[in-house]
Amino acid sequence: MANVYLSTVRISDERAIAPIVYRRAKVGQALAPEHHVVWSLFDRSDNERTWLYRRLTDRDLRVVSTKAPKSSAYAAVLRTHEQSFDWLRPGMRLVFKLRANAVQRVVVGGKTRKVDVVMHALHPLTPEERSARREDITHAAYLKWMQRQGAAHGFLVEQETFQVLAHYRERIPRRSAAPALINCGELVGLLTVTDGQALGRCLNETIPLHERAVLTARPLARARRASKQDG
């Protein structure tokens, strides 16, 4: 099973990233400076993206990649280490944090299409029902989606610990089309491993496939020690 690299990256100040913003604006491309900052840490010669990231603070990012990043003029790699998931065993309890664009396939008019799980659940309701039940339905839709992921990838979500910290819409500019609107959820909780190899493959092999899903997990005991040290 191939390993991945887990890295903490700090973006340089605004003056340092200004050339990226200016160059992209000048040639008429979509403005996504944060995305291009991460690109600057990797060799673009093969034009294959093998990384994902999530924002930790205004300037700090967590990057998961199949290749080791290198500091650039636009961002510094503060820490990086190669991670293997061979230690995963059935019965282990893990703390997870996940930022996901959760979708499901449905048949509409005889055609299969992808839909956002929350919007799909809210669609049949009246505006009044949506307003009254939005929080509960959002929680239930994300939990059901996570349970499907667990069935496919070797884990069980501990339902009583599952939380949706945020649900929001991202606007992604595109060069020759209307902006893409993507719903994202920030999900946290505990999971129990049922198949260590399947979960390890999920953590390693989904990097090139999923645009906006970054799952980080660590053993519960280790998370508790870190919490005590932070306190």
Side-chain angles (χ1 to χ4, degrees):
M1 187 182 296
N3 294 348
V4 297
Y5 294 88
L6 304 181
S7 308
T8 302
V9 173
R10 177 160 296 169
I11 298 175
S12 303
D13 61 33
E14 293 182 1
R15 291 171 296 177
I17 68 171
I20 285 183
V21 180
Y22 175 75
R23 184 166 64 250
R24 292 287 162 181
K26 190 173 182 180
V27 300
Q29 295 185 11
L31 292 179
E34 189 177 87
H35 191 84
H36 296 296
V37 164
V38 181
W39 257 123
S40 74
L41 306 173
F42 299 91
D43 181 7
R44 296 196 65 166
S45 60
D46 56 6
N47 204 32
E48 179 184 3
R49 184 172 67 83
T50 56
W51 49 263
L52 289 169
Y53 77 92
R54 64 177 291 148
R55 185 183 299 114
L56 300 177
T57 68
D58 289 343
R59 291 180 58 193
D60 293 339
L61 308 175
R62 171 66 50 78
V63 178
V64 185
S65 60
T66 58
K67 299 177 181 178
K70 296 181 180 179
S71 296
S72 71
Y74 309 112
V77 178
L78 303 183
R79 293 181 297 277
T80 188
H81 70 276
E82 195 170 0
Q83 174 70 65
S84 167
F85 296 104
D86 293 340
W87 49 269
L88 291 170
R89 296 289 184 272
M92 296 182 74
R93 300 176 72 206
L94 307 180
V95 179
F96 72 86
K97 296 181 180 180
L98 175 63
R99 176 176 182 255
N101 169 222
V103 297
Q104 67 184 85
R105 294 184 182 274
V106 299
V107 177
V108 180
K111 296 182 179 180
T112 302
R113 55 180 294 194
K114 289 183 180 180
V115 297
D116 175 79
V117 296
V118 175
M119 299 308 296
H120 182 65
L122 291 171
H123 180 71
L125 305 181
T126 65
E128 293 77 15
E129 289 175 321
R130 292 178 191 175
S131 178
R133 300 174 55 194
R134 182 177 297 272
E135 184 174 346
D136 290 341
I137 289 176
T138 297
H139 183 278
Y142 276 123
L143 176 59
K144 188 175 181 179
W145 179 81
M146 276 295 292
Q147 289 170 333
R148 289 198 299 270
Q149 304 311 306
H153 299 299
F155 65 87
L156 288 173
V157 178
E158 299 187 15
Q159 184 170 337
E160 66 278 7
T161 71
F162 181 76
Q163 297 181 59
V164 180
L165 299 184
H167 172 68
Y168 54 91
R169 177 168 291 184
E170 284 195 351
R171 183 183 179 91
I172 310 299
R174 294 186 291 183
R175 183 191 299 184
S176 57
L181 300 177
I182 298 178
N183 291 319
C184 293
E186 299 281 350
L187 317 176
V188 300
L190 299 179
L191 61 82
T192 301
V193 179
T194 58
D195 185 332
Q197 290 189 344
L199 181 54
R201 286 194 299 269
C202 172
L203 293 171
N204 275 338
E205 297 173 3
T206 57
I207 289 178
L209 303 179
H210 293 283
E211 290 289 330
R212 301 187 178 278
V214 180
L215 173 67
T216 57
R218 55 179 173 171
L220 179 59
R222 188 188 307 168
R224 284 174 173 166
R225 288 198 299 270
S227 177
K228 289 180 180 179
Q229 291 171 358
D230 293 342

